[in-house]
Amino acid sequence: MGIILWRKEIGDETKKQLWLAGPMVCVSVFQYSLQLISLMFVGHLDELLLAGASLATSFVSVTGFNVLMGLSSVLDTFCGQSYGAQQYEMVGIHTQRAMLVSILVTIPVSFIWAYLKPILILIHQDHNISAQAELYARYLIPSLSANGILRCIVKFLQTQNIVFPMVLATGITTLVHLLACWALVIKFGLGMKGAAIALCISNWFNMIVLALYVKFSSSCKRTWTGFSRESLHDIPQFLKLAFPSTVMVCLEAWTFQLMVFLSGALPNPKLETSVLSVCLNTSGIFWMIPFGISAAGSTRISNELGAGNPKAAYIAVKVSLFIAFIMGILEFSLLMLIRNIWGRAFTNVHEVLAHVVSLMPILASSTFVDSIQTTFQGIARGCGWQKLGAFVNLGSYYLLGVPAAVVLAFVLHMKGEGLYLGIVLALTVQVVVFLLVTIGANWETEAKKAAIRVHGTDQIVQH
């Protein structure tokens, strides 16, 4: 009887997570595609413009969009646990607080983007490419505040298990973006400026559509009761978790960009950078699936901890990791099957294609490990382990992964393979550390911590 009940619990939890994960994968893919579409339109204009837009895209991601992603991800903890505890009004208040902090953060970021050229020259980037990158970044500044608010709304809806309206909104936004890029880049001949303006329009469009849904939908009535002055309170307390949450996300993103810069210092930098760019873009595309799984796992874990159900939260952890493991195996298998033809989606240069094929086993392995690691990051957000996550990411990437990558690439002359092996090592260390933490976690204690966060008391209120 106990086994049958356990199987039923596992089955029910798996259905809940897959129901959430599928739509969140779609939302992630649609959002990721916007910058990609803009770059594709610029790529048909001129090689210099493409280089400038690509460099700008990398820089604005690490200094702006990744920061905003990290700030909004703290809502996985606050909103998820508040919703589970039936503290519905607090879900909206936490979201407003995150919006306010995000908008304030965009102010210094805007100045950095506006004067990007001297920064890029300082890190030894080409003067002409840097000038184009600065122009592209300046036209992207209006998208910053919209992107920050949008990410908060996405978390607000995700933690309430409201996912299908987001799929519809981001899907329509992708179509709007295609049309805007065609009109501004091709029809009106605005070139690279047009691609950046189209991205701003799409971010604002997506944000406004979802904001209107939140305001007028009956499904958000309990959690969105209008703007509240209470959102201005407890900001220091909010930042205590928001800061490590941002650091946790940014340290990982910055590592991947650092690998691109390091590849430029290798012998034959044009080849090595091209190969690594193909591999990182491939990782980015395949990462959308475990990110969707991690979002689903984070929501389910935070909801159950907030509701005072430690057993159900632990079941959600196990199911999330099992789904990630299966998905990791499927991604590994797919990449190994298409290893000889995948590179052709990015380039026709024979030398680049040959190097991509040789790197595929390492890339496939990293995709498998990253699937599990990304899910652990979701578990960390659901539990409120952001401080731990920040330290784990700092240690695994910057004390181990990056130094190992430098030694393998430059000292042992493994070049691009060495750089990527450093990333795989960092991902593996993250998985091992988070696995040990998860196994050793006391879920009753985690539920009490959630109760303190939500109710201000360690008394678990079960629903």
Side-chain angles (χ1 to χ4, degrees):
M1 184 67 184
I3 294 172
I4 294 169
L5 185 64
W6 183 78
R7 281 180 179 172
K8 186 180 183 302
E9 287 175 342
I10 292 290
D12 289 345
E13 181 59 39
T14 303
K15 285 176 191 174
K16 286 176 184 176
Q17 290 203 26
L18 290 175
W19 184 256
L20 279 169
M24 286 311 298
V25 170
C26 294
V27 170
S28 301
V29 169
F30 285 138
Q31 287 183 329
Y32 181 78
S33 69
L34 298 184
Q35 288 194 52
L36 212 58
I37 290 166
S38 283
L39 282 177
M40 287 165 72
F41 272 90
V42 174
H44 286 89
L45 297 172
D46 179 75
E47 193 176 353
L48 173 63
L49 295 181
L50 177 59
S54 298
L55 182 60
T57 298
S58 296
F59 194 88
V60 300
S61 292
V62 298
T63 58
F65 297 136
N66 290 144
V67 173
L68 295 173
M69 181 191 284
L71 275 172
S72 66
S73 68
V74 76
L75 296 178
D76 282 326
T77 307
F78 284 120
C79 288
Q81 293 184 359
S82 294
Y83 187 76
Q86 296 184 8
Q87 298 281 315
Y88 297 124
E89 194 177 340
M90 287 306 298
V91 177
I93 289 167
H94 287 311
T95 303
Q96 289 169 36
R97 202 171 282 144
M99 287 177 179
L100 175 63
V101 172
S102 295
I103 290 168
L104 289 173
V105 166
T106 64
I107 296 169
V109 172
S110 297
F111 282 104
I112 293 170
W113 289 12
Y115 300 98
L116 187 56
K117 184 182 175 182
I119 297 170
L120 293 174
I121 291 171
L122 194 66
I123 54 175
H124 306 292
Q125 299 301 303
D126 180 83
H127 282 240
N128 292 328
I129 294 174
S130 297
Q132 295 301 325
E134 182 181 83
L135 182 66
Y136 191 73
R138 283 183 174 181
Y139 276 89
L140 280 178
I141 289 172
S143 71
L144 260 174
S145 52
N147 190 270
I149 296 168
L150 173 63
R151 289 184 186 279
C152 294
I153 295 173
V154 167
K155 291 297 181 184
F156 170 80
L157 293 170
Q158 173 205 310
T159 51
Q160 298 175 69
N161 304 279
I162 304 170
V163 287
F164 288 100
M166 289 195 288
V167 176
L168 189 61
T170 51
I172 292 169
T173 300
T174 304
L175 295 176
V176 167
H177 188 62
L178 274 167
L179 184 62
C181 279
W182 174 81
L184 295 169
V185 178
I186 309 297
K187 183 75 174 171
F188 295 110
L190 293 176
M192 187 172 70
K193 296 175 189 175
I197 294 168
L199 201 54
C200 295
I201 291 169
S202 300
N203 270 292
W204 278 100
F205 176 81
N206 199 355
M207 187 272 284
I208 290 167
V209 168
L210 285 178
L212 290 171
Y213 175 82
V214 169
K215 183 167 176 59
F216 295 109
S217 171
S218 58
S219 59
C220 300
K221 249 179 196 172
R222 294 180 301 179
T223 51
W224 189 268
T225 54
F227 288 98
S228 169
R229 285 186 180 181
E230 197 176 339
S231 63
L232 301 174
H233 304 155
D234 300 322
I235 288 179
Q237 198 68 26
F238 176 84
L239 291 174
K240 278 184 182 178
L241 205 59
F243 179 71
S245 180
T246 306
V247 170
M248 189 170 80
V249 170
C250 289
L251 285 176
E252 182 172 2
W254 293 344
T255 304
F256 284 89
Q257 291 303 324
L258 182 59
M259 291 300 115
V260 176
F261 284 125
L262 286 173
S263 67
L266 289 167
N268 197 349
K270 192 175 179 182
L271 171 67
E272 296 295 349
T273 304
S274 298
V275 171
L276 202 67
S277 294
V278 171
C279 291
L280 291 178
N281 276 305
T282 302
S283 293
I285 294 164
F286 277 78
W287 178 77
M288 296 301 158
I289 297 171
F291 182 73
I293 295 167
S294 78
S298 173
T299 298
R300 290 292 306 130
I301 293 158
S302 61
N303 285 173
E304 295 296 353
L305 286 175
N309 299 325
K311 184 187 172 188
Y314 189 43
I315 288 172
V317 168
K318 289 190 280 191
V319 168
S320 188
L321 287 171
F322 177 73
I323 294 171
F325 181 77
I326 297 299
M327 197 52 65
I329 289 174
L330 290 174
E331 288 185 336
F332 176 87
S333 303
L334 177 61
L335 278 171
M336 291 306 291
L337 279 171
I338 62 172
R339 64 185 182 277
N340 293 319
I341 58 170
W342 177 251
R344 296 188 187 279
F346 297 89
T347 181
N348 291 318
V349 179
H350 176 74
E351 197 178 4
V352 175
L353 287 171
H355 274 69
V356 169
V357 172
S358 68
L359 258 175
M360 266 298 178
I362 301 173
L363 175 60
S365 301
S366 79
T367 305
F368 169 73
V369 180
D370 199 24
S371 180
I372 300 167
Q373 182 272 144
T374 302
T375 304
F376 270 123
Q377 299 276 336
I379 292 168
R381 295 194 305 272
C383 296
W385 294 345
Q386 282 91 337
K387 287 180 184 175
L388 171 69
F391 281 115
V392 171
N393 285 10
L394 177 65
S396 59
Y397 285 117
Y398 292 92
L399 299 182
L400 200 62
V402 172
V406 170
V407 170
L408 290 169
F410 295 97
V411 179
L412 300 180
H413 306 292
M414 292 179 70
K415 300 177 184 173
E417 285 91 341
L419 291 179
Y420 224 90
L421 279 170
I423 290 176
V424 176
L425 176 62
L427 293 172
T428 306
V429 170
Q430 283 178 292
V431 168
V432 171
V433 174
F434 273 119
L435 180 63
L436 292 172
V437 170
T438 305
I439 290 170
N442 184 318
W443 295 96
E444 292 281 350
T445 304
E446 294 304 323
K448 285 179 181 177
K449 286 179 185 176
I452 292 169
R453 195 174 285 122
V454 174
H455 302 284
T457 173
D458 64 354
Q459 185 179 353
I460 297 174
V461 182
Q462 288 189 312
H463 303 293

